[in-house]
Amino acid sequence: MNRKLRVGILGATGVVGQRFIELLQDHPRFEVAELAASGRSQGKTYAEACSWRLPGEMPKRVKNIVVQAPAPPLDCDFVFSSLPGEIAGEAEESFARAGFPVITNSSPHRMDTDVPLLIPEVNSAHLDLIDDQRAGRGYERGYIVTNPNCSTIVIAMALAPLHQSFGVDSCIATTMQAISGAGYPGVPALDITDNVLPFIGGEEEKIESETVKILGRVEGGQVEGAAMKVSAQCNRVNVLDGHLAAIRVKLTRAVSLDQVREALASFTSVPQELKLHSAPDRPIIVREEVDRPQPRLDREAGFGMSVTVGRIAPDSVLDYRFVALGHNTIRGAAGAAILNAELLMAQGYL
Ligand code: NAP
């Protein structure tokens, strides 16, 4: 039996950091060894620093780990990052420079030309960028791999089988995003109760640019973005977990409703072939009921790693429309990064 790799978590006390700890507690290949957070938490044990917000108990093995600063070196083989965007960029570069693979949720490096913006089911070939990144930045063992924004991942996963099979010309997506997407304590109760907030700073731009990169191809050491237009509007809604997106697509050729449904329902990819530990059996679950997907009923599908699609129908303006849902802190954050790490390990990068 191979030894487990020792993992550091940067931003370990936050909404995403806690998900990492929950999802890694029985992981067959990774074990939590180091935890890092802000000056408020440093020097305290995790139990003292963290107010545990997930159902159930804080896992016993992390309670006595002393929280560090998010700066190298840490006593681990690689780090997961869920630091706030304002500080993640520099901290992640310093870890990569010091020889640590960095697998991050945070946004600063997602659009760097030499950094994979990875969804293992969609663009595992983008890992080829790691060699160029190391050569270009002078990193020896370290590198940075990112996962997408928590709404982008839902939209890009739903578009991927359609793009592979028929080509997507354009896409219009309207999101309804959960409160946990804003971190803790997040949106004030007086703003979100009995309300919908039609603005999430930077989110529409992220969806529009990241989707094109994810669905693009690696050419000459960088990603050639997919030739499609993406338009996004984002809303914060009064739901705890689970981002919903109402999506309309125009395809590059005429196909039937059955072909669209079949392309989505039959989609499987590299993580399923490799049987990666966190890979759901079905990355996309198609539901036929007229009123699904719903956040409360469908966010845990595939242990939070499947995207659920429903309401597939012809559209009178573009070609087809449907609704897609994913768990924002699992498939949209910690679970996504862990699946990325599992793919990196399977391909010899860890
Ligand atoms: P959060 O709940 O606010 O947690 C932030 C974490 O970063 C905490 O551990 C906090 O530590 C730490 N931190 C804050 N300021 C710091 C500083 N100056 N130096 C070092 N550590 C600092 O946020 P979150 O929702 O977990 O999000 C974390 C990152 O993941 C963000 O970049 C976010 O955009 C991204 N993300 C979030 C989601 C989601 O659904 N929530 C999804 C995808 C990506 P203390 O407890 O010590 O303050």
Side-chain angles (χ1 to χ4, degrees):
M1 180 80 178
N2 295 326
R3 81 168 174 94
K4 289 189 182 185
L5 294 188
R6 291 165 58 77
V7 171
I9 301 172
L10 316 180
T13 50
V15 166
V16 178
Q18 294 186 27
R19 274 289 176 205
F20 271 122
I21 286 167
E22 181 195 51
L23 295 174
L24 289 169
Q25 62 182 325
D26 295 316
H27 198 281
R29 303 305 305 278
F30 307 142
E31 65 184 4
V32 176
E34 293 271 40
L35 301 171
S38 77
R40 186 191 68 77
S41 306
Q42 291 162 26
K44 298 179 184 166
T45 64
Y46 189 69
E48 289 165 345
C50 176
S51 171
W52 187 252
R53 301 272 163 199
L54 293 175
E57 290 290 309
M58 175 186 287
K60 211 169 158 198
R61 61 163 289 135
V62 297
K63 284 186 175 173
N64 291 322
I65 297 179
V66 175
V67 177
Q68 309 288 321
L74 292 177
D75 182 13
C76 58
D77 296 299
F78 71 95
V79 295
F80 287 118
S81 169
S82 54
L83 290 170
E86 314 81 76
I87 60 155
E90 259 186 65
E92 292 168 359
E93 280 173 38
S94 65
F95 274 95
R97 216 176 296 119
F100 293 85
V102 177
I103 300 165
T104 177
N105 283 285
S106 304
S107 59
H109 292 296
R110 286 185 193 142
M111 294 304 294
D112 292 1
T113 53
D114 56 353
V115 171
L117 180 53
L118 183 66
I119 305 176
E121 282 90 346
V122 176
N123 61 359
S124 59
H126 289 202
L127 289 186
D128 289 350
L129 291 175
I130 291 175
D131 292 338
D132 298 289
Q133 185 191 133
R134 280 173 163 159
R137 299 186 185 209
Y139 297 161
E140 287 180 13
R141 289 183 48 252
Y143 55 81
I144 300 172
V145 168
T146 59
N147 58 254
N149 163 276
C150 43
S151 287
T152 306
I153 201 160
V154 175
I155 295 164
M157 279 188 65
L159 291 182
L162 304 180
H163 193 55
Q164 278 171 15
S165 303
F166 319 120
V168 172
D169 172 89
S170 41
C171 160
I172 297 174
T174 305
T175 67
M176 287 145 269
Q177 302 185 206
I179 307 168
S180 62
Y184 187 84
V187 189
L190 282 177
D191 288 347
I192 197 67
T193 304
D194 186 30
N195 211 4
V196 171
L197 302 174
F199 174 69
I200 304 175
E203 200 82 354
E204 293 166 355
E205 295 81 356
K206 286 177 188 163
I207 293 171
E208 291 175 1
S209 58
E210 290 178 16
T211 304
V212 167
K213 178 174 176 180
I214 292 162
L215 295 172
R217 289 171 191 281
V218 174
E219 305 271 358
Q222 53 182 359
V223 177
E224 182 70 34
M228 70 172 67
K229 281 178 280 184
V230 179
S231 164
Q233 283 187 302
C234 297
N235 303 284
R236 183 78 68 199
V237 298
N238 198 356
V239 162
L240 279 183
D241 291 315
H243 288 353
L244 196 71
I247 299 172
R248 289 173 157 75
V249 287
K250 181 172 175 357
L251 303 173
T252 58
R253 64 185 173 91
V255 297
S256 70
L257 179 61
D258 282 346
Q259 284 175 293
V260 169
R261 192 181 286 118
E262 178 57 21
L264 288 161
S266 64
F267 182 61
T268 65
S269 186
V270 175
Q272 288 69 38
E273 284 157 28
L274 294 175
K275 299 192 185 315
L276 299 180
H277 176 72
S278 304
D281 293 342
R282 288 188 292 158
I284 296 177
I285 294 172
V286 173
R287 300 213 57 127
E288 301 299 339
E289 301 91 324
V290 292
D291 59 354
R292 302 286 280 272
Q294 297 178 20
R296 221 175 43 193
L297 302 181
D298 296 305
R299 62 193 168 206
E300 303 293 342
F303 299 99
M305 290 296 285
S306 294
V307 169
T308 303
V309 173
R311 307 286 332 274
I312 307 171
D315 184 68
S316 53
V317 177
L318 302 185
D319 292 333
Y320 289 98
R321 64 185 181 219
F322 52 87
V323 176
L325 171 88
H327 196 302
N328 54 298
T329 65
I330 303 180
R331 182 47 105 154
I338 293 169
L339 188 62
N340 285 355
E342 291 167 2
L343 179 66
L344 286 159
M345 188 177 212
Q347 301 211 338
Y349 289 100
L350 284 179

